[in-house]
Amino acid sequence: MRYRRILLKLSGEALMGRLSYGIDPEVVQGIAREIAEIVAGGVQTAIVVGGGNIFRGVKGAAAGMDRATADYIGMLATVMNAMTLQDALEQIGVATRVQTAISMQEVAEPYIRRRAMRHLEKGRVVIFAAGSGNPFFTTDTTAALRAAEIDAEVVFKATKVDGVYDADPKLNPTARRFESLNYNHVLRHGLQVMDGTAITLCQENNIPIVVFDLSVAGNICRAVQGEPIGTIVGGYCEIK
């Protein structure tokens, strides 16, 4: 494997599979098997999972909810996803810990940086849930923050598309997919990689971001092995 310690960002929508809502157990089991493979290869693996398959704070706010309240509900949705992924991993023998940014000691550990790093050193997968614990921040920003805190070498953003495009490929068949980008280009052109706060955090801490398609079986392993399967964003990357 190319990397020693990684942070994998999973969107909540990725857990739905072809469902319109909720969690597809077969999809979660497939993700767990791929994570187990990279862990067996010696990669220390941390995960941040979103909650958009259950509740998205921004949508709740757009529907008239108080934004902070909506965001807190979204954080709770990420805990449900994290516990589901934990169960799938432990069913196949992968030691896992869920750490939450909002205290709920009956079901998960509180987020403690040193404890998280110790779990990783022992080969346990650490799943960070409840976002950063603060409203108005996305789980993308949480992924960048946690990656910096635990000294991850890279952030892998697993999505439903095979990289970053200059336009929506679903709406524009001539949209161009980038192989590599630098942070400044992403920020200047507002490309849909991660939100601006997350990109800036990665830039300031020199953490590359790799965007790839999670729906293709084996892509997590390919990404960790360094295969060019998506788009890489970094400080020294050429735009191509």
Side-chain angles (χ1 to χ4, degrees):
M1 298 292 183
R2 177 176 175 179
Y3 300 98
R4 179 184 63 89
R5 179 177 292 172
I6 70 163
L7 189 138
L8 175 65
K9 169 59 169 60
L10 296 173
S11 68
E13 288 88 342
L15 306 184
M16 291 192 303
R18 296 183 179 181
L19 302 178
S20 59
Y21 176 84
I23 300 167
D24 184 333
E26 290 187 7
V27 170
V28 175
Q29 291 161 12
I31 293 170
R33 287 191 293 270
E34 291 197 45
I35 293 170
E37 186 173 342
I38 64 173
V39 171
V43 180
Q44 296 178 17
T45 305
I47 301 169
V48 169
V49 62
N53 57 319
I54 298 170
F55 188 91
R56 184 179 291 278
V58 172
K59 288 187 177 180
M65 291 185 68
D66 174 75
R67 173 62 190 272
T69 299
D71 280 352
Y72 279 120
I73 295 171
M75 291 179 214
L76 298 179
T78 72
V79 178
M80 296 168 67
N81 285 337
M83 293 177 66
T84 300
L85 184 58
Q86 178 185 40
D87 180 75
L89 285 164
E90 294 193 337
Q91 291 280 352
I92 56 175
V94 180
T96 310
R97 297 291 186 275
V98 173
Q99 292 196 342
T100 60
I102 298 173
S103 180
M104 46 187 76
Q105 61 186 7
E106 286 79 10
V107 297
E109 297 180 2
Y111 170 66
I112 299 173
R113 174 179 174 268
R114 288 183 178 272
R115 182 179 291 178
M117 295 178 75
R118 184 61 173 157
H119 286 322
L120 293 170
E121 290 165 358
K122 287 180 172 291
R124 300 167 183 147
V125 173
V126 180
I127 306 172
F128 299 119
S132 66
N134 301 291
F136 305 101
F137 290 91
T138 68
T139 50
D140 279 351
T141 295
T142 301
L145 175 63
R146 296 288 184 253
E149 289 180 298
I150 66 170
D151 299 325
E153 297 169 89
V154 61
V155 171
F156 288 106
K157 182 171 181 181
T159 72
K160 290 186 174 183
V161 293
D162 61 347
V164 181
Y165 287 78
D166 60 1
D168 189 338
K170 294 180 180 179
L171 303 176
N172 184 353
T174 64
R176 170 193 174 195
R177 183 174 72 86
F178 296 99
E179 294 179 15
S180 60
L181 290 165
N182 59 56
Y183 304 111
N184 288 332
H185 185 88
V186 171
L187 291 168
R188 187 166 58 248
H189 294 278
L191 299 179
Q192 298 301 306
V193 179
M194 298 172 115
D195 65 80
T197 304
I199 296 295
T200 301
L201 269 170
C202 287
Q203 182 178 30
E204 290 176 349
N205 293 280
N206 196 29
I207 303 170
I209 305 161
V210 178
V211 182
F212 68 95
D213 186 355
L214 182 65
S215 67
V216 178
N219 261 2
I220 294 177
C221 297
R222 295 184 189 100
V224 174
Q225 289 169 346
E227 293 185 27
I229 61 169
T231 301
I232 183 168
V233 179
Y236 305 103
C237 291
E238 296 181 3
I239 302 170
K240 62 179 183 178

